[in-house]
Amino acid sequence: MSAQDEPRGPGDPFTREATRLRKNFLEMNLYEGFELAIMLVLTALIMLVTLFATWNLTKEVWQLVLAQRIDPSDMPTFQTVFGNIFTVIIALEFKSSLRISLSPNKDVVRVRTIVLIALLAVARKFIILDLHEVNPAEMFAFSAAVLALGVVYWLIREQDIRVASRTEPTVPFTSPHQDAGHG
């Protein structure tokens, strides 16, 4: 029996995840099962898109290095490369949000993650934006979008912190004197 033919042990993360998903699937109603199937398909598609985007980015950067065209003063090239880097980061964050929705005790994709993805997308747009061709109204709109998304992200984060602080058990404070039998 070759190493490829051997069954994966209980320590294998793929086997554990498949077993967990199968168990959860069997306990779901029809719609929940449908939702899980869609999330798995979307996850696979995002993984493929991320893989191809990373491959293209790697080829693009490698070609720039070989052609010795990496020049900090060449803004269009840097905008393209960093725009593509942000595309990969956005895809990874989107994949992460789907993974969270597949985990136990998480019924919906968290709004904070979606706002973060939107912030990344607008930041990517700022990076690839040619400032000589954008009109002031467009720039104002992008700036307002970043500000609004930033405020929403901050408010959601603050809400999460308040909720988490209410659910954590409080440990009563004891002074060092009380521990030593002096209090």
Side-chain angles (χ1 to χ4, degrees):
M1 181 180 259
S2 72
Q4 292 176 347
D5 297 333
E6 291 179 14
R8 294 179 176 182
D12 175 34
F14 296 110
T15 303
R16 281 195 316 260
E17 185 66 12
T19 302
R20 185 187 65 78
L21 287 173
R22 192 176 315 111
K23 180 180 179 256
N24 287 349
F25 186 75
L26 294 173
E27 296 172 357
M28 293 178 178
N29 64 35
L30 180 63
Y31 181 75
E32 289 170 335
F34 171 75
E35 203 172 55
L36 175 65
I38 295 297
M39 289 294 192
L40 290 172
V41 169
L42 286 174
T43 299
L45 291 172
I46 291 170
M47 288 172 68
L48 281 172
V49 168
T50 305
L51 179 68
F52 286 120
T54 304
W55 174 252
N56 286 334
L57 175 63
T58 303
K59 284 188 336 187
E60 182 180 351
V61 170
W62 190 246
Q63 288 170 353
L64 287 171
V65 168
L66 289 178
Q68 297 179 349
R69 289 190 26 218
I70 295 186
D71 178 12
S73 63
D74 183 10
M75 276 316 254
T77 300
F78 267 60
Q79 286 174 312
T80 301
V81 168
F82 281 103
N84 290 341
I85 289 171
F86 260 81
T87 299
V88 171
I89 291 170
I90 291 167
L92 289 172
E93 190 61 39
F94 191 53
K95 161 57 181 83
S96 176
S97 71
L98 288 176
R99 191 184 77 233
I100 289 170
S101 70
L102 289 173
S103 67
N105 305 325
K106 299 286 183 183
D107 294 330
V108 294
V109 177
R110 298 189 64 191
V111 174
R112 181 167 43 161
T113 303
I114 297 204
V115 172
L116 177 61
I117 292 168
L119 271 167
L120 288 170
V122 174
R124 179 191 178 278
K125 183 66 177 174
F126 268 120
I127 287 172
I128 64 172
L129 200 62
D130 185 356
L131 296 178
H132 300 291
E133 295 182 15
V134 66
N135 64 44
E138 254 183 307
M139 185 60 81
F140 179 77
F142 285 130
S143 301
V146 168
L147 182 61
L149 288 168
V151 168
V152 168
Y153 186 83
W154 178 76
L155 288 171
I156 292 169
R157 187 179 65 93
E158 289 297 311
Q159 174 70 21
D160 288 350
I161 290 170
R162 278 195 301 274
V163 168
S165 69
R166 277 189 247 141
T167 59
E168 292 176 1
T170 56
V171 178
F173 174 75
T174 57
S175 73
H177 298 292
Q178 289 174 330
D179 291 341
H182 299 315

